Amino acid sequence: MSSPPATPPAIEVTDLVKEYRGSDGSLVRAVDHLSLTVAAGEIVGLLGANGAGKTTTLRIIATLLRPTAGHARVCGFDSQADPVGVRRSLGYVSATTGVPDRLTARELLTSFGRLNGLTDAEVSSRVAWLIDTLALTSYADRPAGRLSSGQRQRISLARALVHDPPALVLDEPTNALDVVGSRSLLDTLEHLRENGHALLLSTHRLHEIEHRCNRFVIIDAGRVVAAGTRSELVGPTGDLESAFFRAVAGGISA
Amino acid sequence: MTDANQLAVDASEREGPSPPGHWLASAWAVAAFQLDRLMTRPRLAMALVGALFPPAVMFAAIRTAPLDRNMAVVMIYALIPEALCVLGLLVTMCPVVADELERGTWIHVAIRPGGRRSLLLGTFAAAVLWTSSVAVTGLLLTLFIAQLTQPIGLAAMFIALIVLSCIGRAALFALPAVILPKRALIASVGVAFLVEYMAGFLPAVVNQVTVSLRLRSLLVEWMGWRQQLPVEMMLFVDMYPASIQIIAVVILVMVLLTVACFILNRRQFPPSAEN
Protein backbone atom coordinates (compact mmCIF):
# COMPACT_ATOMS: atom_id res chain seq x y z
CA MET A 1 0.00 0.00 0.00
CA SER A 2 1.44 3.37 -0.97
CA SER A 3 1.98 6.15 1.53
CA PRO A 4 -0.29 9.17 1.41
CA PRO A 5 1.12 12.52 0.31
CA ALA A 6 3.44 14.15 2.85
CA THR A 7 1.39 16.48 5.05
CA PRO A 8 1.87 17.78 8.59
CA PRO A 9 0.67 15.10 11.01
CA ALA A 10 -2.79 15.11 12.57
CA ILE A 11 -1.39 13.06 15.45
CA GLU A 12 2.18 13.72 16.53
CA VAL A 13 3.97 12.06 19.41
CA THR A 14 7.46 13.32 20.19
CA ASP A 15 9.95 11.71 22.54
CA LEU A 16 7.18 10.53 24.85
CA VAL A 17 8.06 9.08 28.25
CA LYS A 18 5.66 7.74 30.85
CA GLU A 19 6.77 6.39 34.19
CA TYR A 20 4.57 4.82 36.83
CA ARG A 21 5.36 4.13 40.43
CA GLY A 22 5.01 0.36 40.84
CA SER A 23 3.26 -1.26 43.79
CA ASP A 24 6.67 -2.01 45.32
CA GLY A 25 7.68 1.64 45.00
CA SER A 26 9.99 1.10 42.02
CA LEU A 27 9.74 3.28 38.94
CA VAL A 28 8.31 1.51 35.89
CA ARG A 29 8.88 3.10 32.48
CA ALA A 30 5.86 2.15 30.39
CA VAL A 31 6.73 4.41 27.44
CA ASP A 32 10.35 5.18 26.62
CA HIS A 33 11.14 8.10 24.27
CA LEU A 34 8.49 7.06 21.79
CA SER A 35 7.83 9.15 18.68
CA LEU A 36 5.32 8.61 15.90
CA THR A 37 3.10 10.56 13.53
CA VAL A 38 -0.19 9.96 11.77
CA ALA A 39 -1.21 12.15 8.84
CA ALA A 40 -4.73 12.93 7.69
CA GLY A 41 -6.02 10.18 5.41
CA GLU A 42 -3.72 7.59 6.93
CA ILE A 43 -4.11 4.51 9.13
CA VAL A 44 -1.08 3.74 11.27
CA GLY A 45 -0.92 0.39 13.05
CA LEU A 46 0.61 0.47 16.53
CA LEU A 47 1.82 -3.04 17.22
CA GLY A 48 3.28 -4.56 20.34
CA ALA A 49 2.94 -7.39 22.81
CA ASN A 50 0.91 -7.05 25.99
CA GLY A 51 2.55 -4.50 28.26
CA ALA A 52 4.55 -2.95 25.43
CA GLY A 53 3.05 0.47 26.13
CA LYS A 54 0.42 0.73 23.40
CA THR A 55 -2.54 1.57 25.63
CA THR A 56 -0.51 3.99 27.73
CA THR A 57 0.62 5.80 24.56
CA LEU A 58 -2.92 6.02 23.22
CA ARG A 59 -4.22 7.29 26.54
CA ILE A 60 -1.57 9.99 26.71
CA ILE A 61 -2.58 11.11 23.21
CA ALA A 62 -6.21 11.12 24.40
CA THR A 63 -5.34 13.30 27.45
CA LEU A 64 -6.35 10.52 29.83
CA LEU A 65 -2.80 10.27 31.18
CA ARG A 66 -0.10 12.91 31.51
CA PRO A 67 3.32 12.14 30.07
CA THR A 68 6.40 12.20 32.29
CA ALA A 69 8.28 13.83 29.39
CA GLY A 70 7.74 14.55 25.72
CA HIS A 71 4.69 15.76 23.85
CA ALA A 72 1.57 14.43 22.20
CA ARG A 73 -0.29 16.70 19.78
CA VAL A 74 -3.55 16.26 17.94
CA CYS A 75 -4.30 18.70 15.10
CA GLY A 76 -1.70 21.00 16.61
CA PHE A 77 -3.18 20.95 20.12
CA ASP A 78 -0.82 19.83 22.85
CA SER A 79 -2.31 17.20 25.15
CA GLN A 80 -0.96 18.99 28.22
CA ALA A 81 -1.22 22.65 27.25
CA ASP A 82 -4.60 22.38 25.53
CA PRO A 83 -6.36 19.16 26.50
CA VAL A 84 -9.76 20.57 25.55
CA GLY A 85 -8.52 21.25 22.01
CA VAL A 86 -7.29 17.67 21.79
CA ARG A 87 -10.57 16.29 23.11
CA ARG A 88 -12.54 18.24 20.53
CA SER A 89 -10.35 16.86 17.75
CA LEU A 90 -10.10 13.24 18.79
CA GLY A 91 -12.31 10.18 19.03
CA TYR A 92 -11.35 7.17 21.15
CA VAL A 93 -12.42 3.57 20.70
CA SER A 94 -11.35 0.91 23.19
CA ALA A 95 -11.56 -2.87 23.34
CA THR A 96 -14.09 -2.65 26.16
CA THR A 97 -16.94 -0.85 24.49
CA GLY A 98 -18.42 0.64 27.66
CA VAL A 99 -21.84 0.69 25.99
CA PRO A 100 -24.47 0.49 28.75
CA ASP A 101 -26.87 -2.43 28.38
CA ARG A 102 -30.02 -0.43 29.03
CA LEU A 103 -29.45 2.30 26.46
CA THR A 104 -30.16 2.09 22.75
CA ALA A 105 -27.60 3.30 20.23
CA ARG A 106 -29.74 6.34 19.52
CA GLU A 107 -30.01 7.24 23.22
CA LEU A 108 -26.30 6.72 23.82
CA LEU A 109 -25.27 8.82 20.82
CA THR A 110 -27.71 11.55 21.81
CA SER A 111 -26.30 11.63 25.36
CA PHE A 112 -22.73 11.82 24.12
CA GLY A 113 -23.63 14.43 21.52
CA ARG A 114 -24.96 16.62 24.31
CA LEU A 115 -21.92 15.82 26.43
CA ASN A 116 -19.85 17.14 23.54
CA GLY A 117 -21.75 20.41 23.57
CA LEU A 118 -23.74 19.91 20.37
CA THR A 119 -27.09 21.67 20.13
CA ASP A 120 -30.26 19.57 19.93
CA ALA A 121 -30.51 20.16 16.18
CA GLU A 122 -26.86 19.21 15.66
CA VAL A 123 -27.30 16.11 17.82
CA SER A 124 -30.34 14.94 15.83
CA SER A 125 -28.73 15.36 12.45
CA ARG A 126 -25.39 13.92 13.57
CA VAL A 127 -26.98 10.87 15.21
CA ALA A 128 -29.14 10.22 12.14
CA TRP A 129 -26.07 10.52 9.91
CA LEU A 130 -24.00 8.14 12.06
CA ILE A 131 -26.77 5.56 12.27
CA ASP A 132 -27.12 5.64 8.50
CA THR A 133 -23.41 5.77 7.64
CA LEU A 134 -22.29 3.09 10.11
CA ALA A 135 -25.25 0.85 9.21
CA LEU A 136 -26.75 0.84 12.70
CA THR A 137 -30.31 1.32 11.44
CA SER A 138 -31.58 -2.21 12.11
CA TYR A 139 -30.67 -2.10 15.81
CA ALA A 140 -30.46 1.63 16.61
CA ASP A 141 -33.51 1.47 18.87
CA ARG A 142 -32.75 -1.81 20.60
CA PRO A 143 -31.17 -1.85 24.09
CA ALA A 144 -27.46 -2.52 23.72
CA GLY A 145 -27.67 -5.45 26.14
CA ARG A 146 -29.39 -7.45 23.39
CA LEU A 147 -26.75 -6.76 20.76
CA SER A 148 -23.71 -8.73 19.65
CA SER A 149 -20.14 -7.66 20.44
CA GLY A 150 -19.68 -6.48 16.88
CA GLN A 151 -22.82 -4.35 16.98
CA ARG A 152 -21.76 -2.85 20.32
CA GLN A 153 -18.33 -2.03 18.93
CA ARG A 154 -19.92 -0.26 15.96
CA ILE A 155 -21.97 1.79 18.43
CA SER A 156 -18.74 2.55 20.28
CA LEU A 157 -17.20 3.74 17.01
CA ALA A 158 -20.26 5.89 16.34
CA ARG A 159 -19.89 7.39 19.83
CA ALA A 160 -16.25 8.23 19.07
CA LEU A 161 -17.36 10.00 15.89
CA VAL A 162 -20.35 11.84 17.33
CA HIS A 163 -18.50 15.19 17.48
CA ASP A 164 -16.97 14.66 14.03
CA PRO A 165 -13.32 14.48 15.13
CA PRO A 166 -10.65 14.55 12.43
CA ALA A 167 -8.47 12.04 14.31
CA LEU A 168 -9.27 8.69 15.90
CA VAL A 169 -7.30 6.41 18.18
CA LEU A 170 -8.48 2.83 18.46
CA ASP A 171 -7.19 0.54 21.16
CA GLU A 172 -7.62 -3.08 20.06
CA PRO A 173 -11.10 -2.41 18.68
CA THR A 174 -11.50 -5.87 17.14
CA ASN A 175 -10.47 -7.85 20.23
CA ALA A 176 -13.90 -9.15 21.14
CA LEU A 177 -15.18 -9.47 17.58
CA ASP A 178 -15.61 -12.47 15.35
CA VAL A 179 -14.19 -12.47 11.84
CA VAL A 180 -17.34 -10.96 10.32
CA GLY A 181 -17.64 -8.17 12.88
CA SER A 182 -13.94 -7.52 12.64
CA ARG A 183 -13.91 -7.21 8.87
CA SER A 184 -16.96 -4.99 8.90
CA LEU A 185 -15.39 -2.65 11.45
CA LEU A 186 -12.07 -2.49 9.60
CA ASP A 187 -13.91 -1.75 6.34
CA THR A 188 -15.54 1.17 8.09
CA LEU A 189 -12.16 2.40 9.30
CA GLU A 190 -10.86 2.31 5.74
CA HIS A 191 -13.88 4.32 4.69
CA LEU A 192 -13.04 6.89 7.36
CA ARG A 193 -9.49 7.07 6.06
CA GLU A 194 -10.77 7.74 2.57
CA ASN A 195 -12.74 10.63 4.02
CA GLY A 196 -9.54 12.17 5.39
CA HIS A 197 -9.56 10.95 8.99
CA ALA A 198 -6.27 10.15 10.70
CA LEU A 199 -6.42 6.80 12.48
CA LEU A 200 -3.98 5.31 14.96
CA LEU A 201 -4.92 1.68 15.52
CA SER A 202 -3.44 -0.67 18.08
CA THR A 203 -4.04 -4.39 17.74
CA HIS A 204 -2.62 -7.84 18.29
CA ARG A 205 -4.38 -9.28 15.27
CA LEU A 206 -1.71 -8.54 12.72
CA HIS A 207 -3.24 -10.51 9.86
CA GLU A 208 -6.38 -8.37 10.00
CA ILE A 209 -4.61 -5.08 9.45
CA GLU A 210 -1.60 -6.18 7.43
CA HIS A 211 -3.04 -4.83 4.19
CA ARG A 212 -5.15 -2.06 5.64
CA CYS A 213 -2.61 0.22 7.34
CA ASN A 214 -0.45 2.72 5.49
CA ARG A 215 2.34 2.34 8.01
CA PHE A 216 3.20 0.37 11.13
CA VAL A 217 4.99 1.29 14.32
CA ILE A 218 6.20 -1.71 16.32
CA ILE A 219 6.98 -1.09 19.97
CA ASP A 220 8.53 -3.20 22.66
CA ALA A 221 9.06 -2.22 26.30
CA GLY A 222 7.79 1.25 25.48
CA ARG A 223 10.28 1.86 22.65
CA VAL A 224 9.84 1.96 18.90
CA VAL A 225 11.75 -1.00 17.55
CA ALA A 226 10.61 -0.73 13.96
CA ALA A 227 8.55 1.60 11.82
CA GLY A 228 7.64 1.83 8.18
CA THR A 229 5.29 0.68 5.47
CA ARG A 230 4.47 -2.99 5.11
CA SER A 231 6.93 -3.40 2.26
CA GLU A 232 9.69 -1.67 4.23
CA LEU A 233 9.16 -3.96 7.20
CA VAL A 234 8.34 -7.21 5.46
CA GLY A 235 10.31 -7.08 2.26
CA PRO A 236 9.19 -8.72 -0.98
CA THR A 237 8.27 -12.10 0.56
CA GLY A 238 7.36 -12.81 4.21
CA ASP A 239 4.53 -11.47 6.32
CA LEU A 240 3.94 -8.88 8.98
CA GLU A 241 3.91 -11.39 11.81
CA SER A 242 7.43 -12.58 10.99
CA ALA A 243 8.56 -8.97 10.70
CA PHE A 244 7.00 -8.23 14.07
CA PHE A 245 8.87 -11.07 15.75
CA ARG A 246 12.12 -10.04 14.08
CA ALA A 247 11.62 -6.45 15.21
CA VAL A 248 10.85 -7.39 18.79
CA ALA A 249 13.89 -9.66 18.81
CA GLY A 250 15.97 -6.72 17.57
CA GLY A 251 16.32 -7.77 13.95
CA ILE A 252 14.96 -4.55 12.44
CA SER A 253 15.95 -1.08 13.50
CA ALA A 254 13.55 1.83 13.63
CA MET B 1 -3.63 24.76 2.93
CA THR B 2 -2.72 21.20 3.75
CA ASP B 3 -5.21 18.66 5.05
CA ALA B 4 -3.73 18.60 8.53
CA ASN B 5 -3.61 22.40 8.75
CA GLN B 6 -7.23 22.45 7.70
CA LEU B 7 -8.01 19.92 10.42
CA ALA B 8 -6.34 22.12 13.00
CA VAL B 9 -8.25 25.18 11.80
CA ASP B 10 -11.51 23.24 11.85
CA ALA B 11 -10.77 22.11 15.37
CA SER B 12 -9.95 25.69 16.41
CA GLU B 13 -13.26 26.87 15.03
CA ARG B 14 -15.05 24.21 17.03
CA GLU B 15 -12.99 25.33 20.02
CA GLY B 16 -14.84 28.67 20.15
CA PRO B 17 -16.71 29.75 23.26
CA SER B 18 -19.28 27.27 24.49
CA PRO B 19 -22.88 28.37 23.99
CA PRO B 20 -24.56 29.58 27.19
CA GLY B 21 -25.77 26.72 29.30
CA HIS B 22 -23.67 24.18 27.39
CA TRP B 23 -22.12 22.78 30.53
CA LEU B 24 -25.54 22.62 32.15
CA ALA B 25 -26.85 20.67 29.16
CA SER B 26 -23.86 18.32 29.39
CA ALA B 27 -24.37 17.82 33.13
CA TRP B 28 -28.07 17.22 32.54
CA ALA B 29 -27.27 14.62 29.87
CA VAL B 30 -25.20 12.77 32.49
CA ALA B 31 -27.91 13.22 35.14
CA ALA B 32 -30.55 11.72 32.83
CA PHE B 33 -28.21 8.84 32.08
CA GLN B 34 -27.54 8.23 35.80
CA LEU B 35 -31.23 8.44 36.68
CA ASP B 36 -31.95 5.88 33.99
CA ARG B 37 -29.32 3.64 35.56
CA LEU B 38 -31.11 3.95 38.89
CA MET B 39 -34.39 2.74 37.37
CA THR B 40 -33.57 -0.91 37.79
CA ARG B 41 -35.68 -3.25 39.91
CA PRO B 42 -33.07 -3.72 42.67
CA ARG B 43 -32.55 0.05 42.96
CA LEU B 44 -36.29 0.73 42.94
CA ALA B 45 -36.79 -1.95 45.60
CA MET B 46 -34.03 -0.34 47.67
CA ALA B 47 -35.72 3.05 47.28
CA LEU B 48 -39.05 1.58 48.38
CA VAL B 49 -37.48 0.03 51.47
CA GLY B 50 -35.81 3.36 52.22
CA ALA B 51 -39.07 5.28 51.85
CA LEU B 52 -40.97 2.81 54.05
CA PHE B 53 -38.37 2.69 56.80
CA PRO B 54 -39.17 6.02 58.58
CA PRO B 55 -42.97 5.51 58.60
CA ALA B 56 -42.44 1.96 59.87
CA VAL B 57 -40.30 3.24 62.74
CA MET B 58 -42.81 6.01 63.47
CA PHE B 59 -45.64 3.49 63.43
CA ALA B 60 -43.76 1.25 65.87
CA ALA B 61 -42.93 4.22 68.11
CA ILE B 62 -46.46 5.58 68.41
CA ARG B 63 -47.78 2.07 69.03
CA THR B 64 -45.29 1.62 71.87
CA ALA B 65 -45.78 4.91 73.73
CA PRO B 66 -47.51 8.25 73.19
CA LEU B 67 -45.26 10.68 71.33
CA ASP B 68 -45.59 14.46 71.70
CA ARG B 69 -45.26 16.71 68.67
CA ASN B 70 -41.76 17.93 69.44
CA MET B 71 -40.45 14.43 70.05
CA ALA B 72 -42.04 13.25 66.80
CA VAL B 73 -40.38 16.13 64.92
CA VAL B 74 -36.96 15.25 66.37
CA MET B 75 -37.52 11.64 65.39
CA ILE B 76 -38.49 12.55 61.84
CA TYR B 77 -35.42 14.79 61.63
CA ALA B 78 -33.12 11.98 62.78
CA LEU B 79 -34.74 9.42 60.48
CA ILE B 80 -35.07 11.39 57.26
CA PRO B 81 -32.76 14.39 56.68
CA GLU B 82 -30.04 12.65 58.68
CA ALA B 83 -30.21 8.85 58.32
CA LEU B 84 -32.19 8.26 55.12
CA CYS B 85 -30.57 11.06 53.12
CA VAL B 86 -27.06 10.00 54.13
CA LEU B 87 -27.75 6.36 53.28
CA GLY B 88 -29.32 7.28 49.93
CA LEU B 89 -26.39 9.48 48.98
CA LEU B 90 -23.87 6.83 49.98
CA VAL B 91 -25.48 4.57 47.39
CA THR B 92 -25.93 7.13 44.62
CA MET B 93 -23.04 9.59 44.94
CA CYS B 94 -20.12 7.47 46.12
CA PRO B 95 -19.75 5.33 42.97
CA VAL B 96 -19.51 8.39 40.67
CA VAL B 97 -16.04 7.42 39.40
CA ALA B 98 -15.73 3.79 40.53
CA ASP B 99 -18.81 2.73 38.54
CA GLU B 100 -17.46 4.31 35.36
CA LEU B 101 -14.08 2.63 35.82
CA GLU B 102 -15.70 -0.74 36.41
CA ARG B 103 -18.10 -0.44 33.49
CA GLY B 104 -15.39 0.76 31.11
CA THR B 105 -17.21 4.02 30.45
CA TRP B 106 -14.74 6.30 32.28
CA ILE B 107 -12.46 6.83 29.29
CA HIS B 108 -15.37 7.64 27.00
CA VAL B 109 -16.64 10.30 29.38
CA ALA B 110 -13.22 11.63 30.41
CA ILE B 111 -12.16 12.24 26.80
CA ARG B 112 -15.05 14.65 26.20
CA PRO B 113 -14.40 18.37 26.70
CA GLY B 114 -15.73 19.06 30.19
CA GLY B 115 -16.67 15.39 30.47
CA ARG B 116 -15.24 14.92 33.95
CA ARG B 117 -16.99 17.99 35.30
CA SER B 118 -20.23 16.95 33.64
CA LEU B 119 -19.90 13.47 35.10
CA LEU B 120 -19.47 14.86 38.60
CA LEU B 121 -22.18 17.51 38.39
CA GLY B 122 -24.60 15.25 36.53
CA THR B 123 -24.16 12.46 39.08
CA PHE B 124 -24.52 15.03 41.86
CA ALA B 125 -27.83 16.20 40.36
CA ALA B 126 -29.07 12.63 39.89
CA ALA B 127 -28.07 11.64 43.44
CA VAL B 128 -29.82 14.70 44.91
CA LEU B 129 -32.98 14.17 42.83
CA TRP B 130 -33.18 10.46 43.56
CA THR B 131 -32.46 10.70 47.28
CA SER B 132 -34.72 13.73 47.76
CA SER B 133 -37.58 11.92 46.03
CA VAL B 134 -37.19 8.88 48.25
CA ALA B 135 -36.85 11.05 51.36
CA VAL B 136 -39.88 13.21 50.54
CA THR B 137 -41.96 10.08 49.91
CA GLY B 138 -40.82 8.72 53.27
CA LEU B 139 -41.58 12.08 54.91
CA LEU B 140 -45.14 12.27 53.59
CA LEU B 141 -45.86 8.71 54.72
CA THR B 142 -44.32 9.39 58.14
CA LEU B 143 -46.36 12.58 58.62
CA PHE B 144 -49.48 10.67 57.63
CA ILE B 145 -48.73 7.96 60.20
CA ALA B 146 -47.75 10.44 62.95
CA GLN B 147 -50.92 12.57 62.50
CA LEU B 148 -49.18 15.72 63.79
CA THR B 149 -50.81 19.13 63.91
CA GLN B 150 -49.92 21.64 61.16
CA PRO B 151 -48.67 18.93 58.80
CA ILE B 152 -48.29 21.24 55.81
CA GLY B 153 -45.92 23.55 57.66
CA LEU B 154 -43.92 20.58 58.91
CA ALA B 155 -43.80 19.07 55.42
CA ALA B 156 -42.50 22.34 53.95
CA MET B 157 -39.84 22.64 56.66
CA PHE B 158 -38.68 19.05 56.27
CA ILE B 159 -38.62 19.26 52.48
CA ALA B 160 -36.28 22.24 52.81
CA LEU B 161 -34.11 20.31 55.28
CA ILE B 162 -34.09 17.27 52.99
CA VAL B 163 -32.98 19.32 49.99
CA LEU B 164 -30.23 21.03 52.00
CA SER B 165 -29.14 17.73 53.51
CA CYS B 166 -28.98 16.11 50.07
CA ILE B 167 -27.01 18.85 48.33
CA GLY B 168 -24.66 19.26 51.30
CA ARG B 169 -23.95 15.57 51.85
CA ALA B 170 -23.76 14.77 48.12
CA ALA B 171 -21.09 17.45 47.74
CA LEU B 172 -19.31 16.11 50.82
CA PHE B 173 -19.30 12.54 49.46
CA ALA B 174 -18.03 13.79 46.10
CA LEU B 175 -14.60 14.30 47.66
CA PRO B 176 -13.89 10.72 48.79
CA ALA B 177 -15.51 9.53 45.55
CA VAL B 178 -12.89 11.32 43.43
CA ILE B 179 -9.93 10.87 45.79
CA LEU B 180 -10.44 7.18 46.59
CA PRO B 181 -12.85 5.93 43.92
CA LYS B 182 -12.32 2.24 44.65
CA ARG B 183 -12.92 2.72 48.37
CA ALA B 184 -15.38 5.58 48.12
CA LEU B 185 -18.13 3.91 50.13
CA ILE B 186 -15.94 3.12 53.13
CA ALA B 187 -14.26 6.51 52.92
CA SER B 188 -17.62 8.27 52.73
CA VAL B 189 -18.97 6.38 55.73
CA GLY B 190 -15.82 7.48 57.57
CA VAL B 191 -16.31 11.08 56.42
CA ALA B 192 -19.98 11.02 57.43
CA PHE B 193 -19.08 9.68 60.85
CA LEU B 194 -16.02 11.84 61.52
CA VAL B 195 -17.14 15.09 59.93
CA GLU B 196 -20.90 15.11 60.26
CA TYR B 197 -21.46 13.19 63.47
CA MET B 198 -18.31 13.90 65.44
CA ALA B 199 -16.88 17.22 64.28
CA GLY B 200 -20.46 18.44 63.76
CA PHE B 201 -21.13 18.10 67.44
CA LEU B 202 -17.87 19.61 68.66
CA PRO B 203 -18.45 23.05 70.10
CA ALA B 204 -15.51 24.43 68.12
CA VAL B 205 -14.77 26.22 64.86
CA VAL B 206 -14.58 22.91 62.99
CA ASN B 207 -18.31 22.33 63.30
CA GLN B 208 -18.95 25.49 61.26
CA VAL B 209 -18.05 23.59 58.10
CA THR B 210 -20.47 20.74 58.69
CA VAL B 211 -23.91 20.34 57.18
CA SER B 212 -25.29 18.78 60.35
CA LEU B 213 -24.75 21.99 62.37
CA ARG B 214 -26.64 24.01 59.74
CA LEU B 215 -29.54 21.55 59.59
CA ARG B 216 -29.86 21.37 63.38
CA SER B 217 -29.76 25.14 63.62
CA LEU B 218 -32.45 25.45 60.95
CA LEU B 219 -34.63 22.91 62.73
CA VAL B 220 -34.31 24.80 66.02
CA GLU B 221 -34.98 28.12 64.30
CA TRP B 222 -37.97 26.99 62.23
CA MET B 223 -39.57 25.07 65.10
CA GLY B 224 -39.21 28.14 67.36
CA TRP B 225 -37.27 26.14 69.94
CA ARG B 226 -34.44 28.60 70.40
CA GLN B 227 -35.90 30.32 73.45
CA GLN B 228 -36.65 27.02 75.20
CA LEU B 229 -33.31 25.41 74.43
CA PRO B 230 -31.33 24.40 77.56
CA VAL B 231 -28.03 26.26 77.90
CA GLU B 232 -25.92 23.15 77.34
CA MET B 233 -27.76 22.50 74.06
CA MET B 234 -26.93 25.99 72.78
CA LEU B 235 -23.42 24.72 72.09
CA PHE B 236 -24.75 22.40 69.41
CA VAL B 237 -26.59 24.96 67.30
CA ASP B 238 -25.60 28.13 65.54
CA MET B 239 -27.35 31.33 66.53
CA TYR B 240 -27.37 33.06 63.14
CA PRO B 241 -30.69 33.36 61.28
CA ALA B 242 -31.99 30.76 58.82
CA SER B 243 -30.86 32.71 55.74
CA ILE B 244 -27.24 32.58 56.97
CA GLN B 245 -27.49 28.82 57.57
CA ILE B 246 -28.80 28.27 54.04
CA ILE B 247 -26.12 30.51 52.52
CA ALA B 248 -23.48 28.60 54.52
CA VAL B 249 -24.68 25.27 53.09
CA VAL B 250 -24.70 26.68 49.54
CA ILE B 251 -21.15 28.05 49.95
CA LEU B 252 -19.99 24.75 51.40
CA VAL B 253 -21.52 22.88 48.45
CA MET B 254 -19.86 25.19 45.93
CA VAL B 255 -16.46 24.87 47.60
CA LEU B 256 -16.68 21.08 47.89
CA LEU B 257 -17.83 20.61 44.29
CA THR B 258 -15.16 22.97 42.97
CA VAL B 259 -12.45 21.08 44.85
CA ALA B 260 -13.86 17.72 43.71
CA CYS B 261 -13.97 18.92 40.07
CA PHE B 262 -10.40 20.17 40.33
CA ILE B 263 -9.20 16.86 41.75
CA LEU B 264 -11.14 14.82 39.19
CA ASN B 265 -9.71 16.87 36.34
CA ARG B 266 -6.20 16.08 37.59
CA ARG B 267 -6.81 12.38 38.25
CA GLN B 268 -5.04 9.85 36.08
CA PHE B 269 -6.16 6.25 36.02
CA PRO B 270 -3.69 3.81 34.51
CA PRO B 271 -5.22 1.07 32.36
CA SER B 272 -4.82 -1.34 35.29
CA ALA B 273 -7.29 0.73 37.36
CA GLU B 274 -10.15 -0.47 35.16
CA ASN B 275 -12.03 -3.70 35.80
Side-chain angles (χ1 to χ4, degrees):
Chain A
M1 183 174 290
S2 62
S3 295
T7 54
I11 299 173
E12 184 177 18
V13 172
T14 314
D15 220 13
L16 202 67
V17 176
K18 179 65 182 177
E19 290 172 341
Y20 291 113
R21 187 69 64 182
S23 52
D24 58 351
S26 62
L27 213 54
V28 180
R29 184 166 283 194
V31 179
D32 191 1
H33 297 284
L34 188 148
S35 298
L36 60 83
T37 58
V38 186
E42 187 180 39
I43 301 178
V44 172
L46 182 63
L47 313 179
N50 283 339
K54 303 188 299 293
T55 297
T56 302
T57 303
L58 297 183
R59 290 193 179 192
I60 292 171
I61 293 169
T63 73
L64 296 165
L65 295 173
R66 283 188 297 279
T68 307
H71 294 279
R73 291 188 187 85
V74 177
C75 297
F77 298 109
D78 188 279
S79 68
Q80 294 222 76
D82 193 352
V84 175
V86 172
R87 289 169 191 166
R88 287 193 193 280
S89 313
L90 190 72
Y92 191 97
V93 179
S94 62
T96 51
T97 59
V99 175
D101 287 351
R102 285 170 58 83
L103 293 189
T104 66
R106 197 182 300 278
E107 289 166 345
L108 183 79
L109 297 178
T110 302
S111 286
F112 273 86
R114 290 196 180 122
L115 199 53
N116 270 100
L118 305 184
T119 62
D120 285 351
E122 287 169 336
V123 168
S124 309
S125 66
R126 187 70 190 156
V127 169
W129 185 84
L130 283 168
I131 286 172
D132 183 45
T133 307
L134 297 182
L136 310 178
T137 313
S138 60
Y139 51 89
D141 295 303
R142 225 183 291 166
R146 294 191 212 152
L147 304 179
S148 70
S149 303
Q151 289 168 329
R152 292 166 75 101
Q153 192 57 282
R154 293 186 77 79
I155 295 172
S156 182
L157 178 61
R159 174 178 54 194
L161 292 168
V162 78
H163 56 304
D164 195 16
L168 270 180
V169 292
L170 305 103
D171 189 4
E172 301 179 13
T174 60
N175 251 18
L177 306 188
D178 61 19
V179 65
V180 177
S182 195
R183 173 176 282 197
S184 165
L185 187 79
L186 291 167
D187 286 345
T188 306
L189 298 185
E190 286 202 76
H191 180 69
L192 291 171
R193 171 180 54 195
E194 284 158 19
N195 286 345
H197 286 82
L199 296 102
L200 179 59
L201 167 67
S202 114
T203 183
H204 291 292
R205 297 161 80 160
L206 307 189
H207 61 281
E208 285 180 348
I209 59 157
E210 184 162 1
H211 297 284
R212 292 183 188 261
C213 293
N214 299 84
R215 289 186 295 115
F216 298 91
V217 175
I218 301 175
I219 65 173
D220 184 42
R223 289 183 202 177
V224 176
V225 291
T229 62
R230 181 184 177 279
S231 56
E232 285 166 354
L233 293 174
V234 170
T237 56
D239 58 31
L240 188 61
E241 192 168 300
S242 307
F244 173 79
F245 282 114
R246 278 204 312 279
V248 171
I252 298 177
S253 58
Chain B
M1 186 181 284
T2 62
D3 291 353
N5 282 342
Q6 185 61 51
L7 291 178
V9 170
D10 291 348
S12 299
E13 284 165 358
R14 280 197 298 271
E15 179 61 4
S18 300
H22 153 231
W23 68 270
L24 270 178
S26 299
W28 182 246
V30 174
F33 175 69
Q34 299 287 34
L35 285 170
D36 183 75
R37 261 187 188 168
L38 288 166
M39 294 294 175
T40 58
R41 280 185 193 165
R43 291 295 178 102
L44 288 170
M46 200 187 295
L48 186 65
V49 170
L52 291 178
F53 176 67
V57 173
M58 180 60 73
F59 181 74
I62 57 177
R63 293 264 298 179
T64 309
L67 211 58
D68 71 20
R69 187 172 189 268
N70 285 354
M71 185 54 79
V73 166
V74 169
M75 205 168 133
I76 294 172
Y77 172 77
L79 283 170
I80 300 179
E82 289 295 342
L84 184 57
C85 288
V86 167
L87 288 174
L89 293 165
L90 283 173
V91 174
T92 50
M93 191 65 205
C94 290
V96 54
V97 178
D99 259 8
E100 307 309 318
L101 286 170
E102 277 169 25
R103 293 168 198 247
T105 44
W106 163 254
I107 48 177
H108 301 290
V109 172
I111 196 183
R112 310 286 154 174
R116 296 173 190 225
R117 179 188 58 200
S118 301
L119 174 68
L120 188 77
L121 297 182
T123 307
F124 170 81
V128 168
L129 278 173
W130 177 264
T131 308
S132 302
S133 305
V134 174
V136 168
T137 307
L139 169 71
L140 297 178
L141 291 172
T142 309
L143 287 174
F144 177 74
I145 298 273
Q147 293 290 310
L148 302 175
T149 55
Q150 297 177 307
I152 294 174
L154 285 179
M157 178 191 75
F158 275 116
I159 287 170
L161 290 175
I162 285 168
V163 170
L164 289 171
S165 173
C166 286
I167 62 167
R169 268 68 182 262
L172 184 66
F173 295 158
L175 273 185
V178 300
I179 295 170
L180 292 167
K182 298 269 177 168
R183 293 179 180 81
L185 190 61
I186 294 169
S188 295
V189 169
V191 165
F193 184 71
L194 287 173
V195 176
E196 287 295 296
Y197 302 124
M198 283 187 71
F201 280 93
L202 288 177
V205 177
V206 67
N207 76 0
Q208 297 292 315
V209 293
T210 64
V211 179
S212 65
L213 172 77
R214 305 298 164 192
L215 296 184
R216 277 197 311 276
S217 305
L218 284 170
L219 178 71
V220 167
E221 166 93 12
W222 285 337
M223 288 301 293
W225 291 344
R226 188 156 285 167
Q227 311 307 325
Q228 310 140 30
L229 217 57
V231 176
E232 62 273 18
M233 291 299 288
M234 302 287 257
L235 294 170
F236 300 111
V237 294
D238 193 77
M239 287 303 153
Y240 286 104
S243 55
I244 298 293
Q245 308 301 336
I246 294 169
I247 289 168
V249 173
V250 171
I251 290 172
L252 190 62
V253 167
M254 289 167 70
V255 169
L256 288 168
L257 287 179
T258 304
V259 173
C261 275
F262 177 79
I263 293 169
L264 192 58
N265 272 329
R266 303 283 305 163
R267 283 300 313 250
Q268 297 183 83
F269 295 104
S272 58
E274 289 169 30
N275 304 315

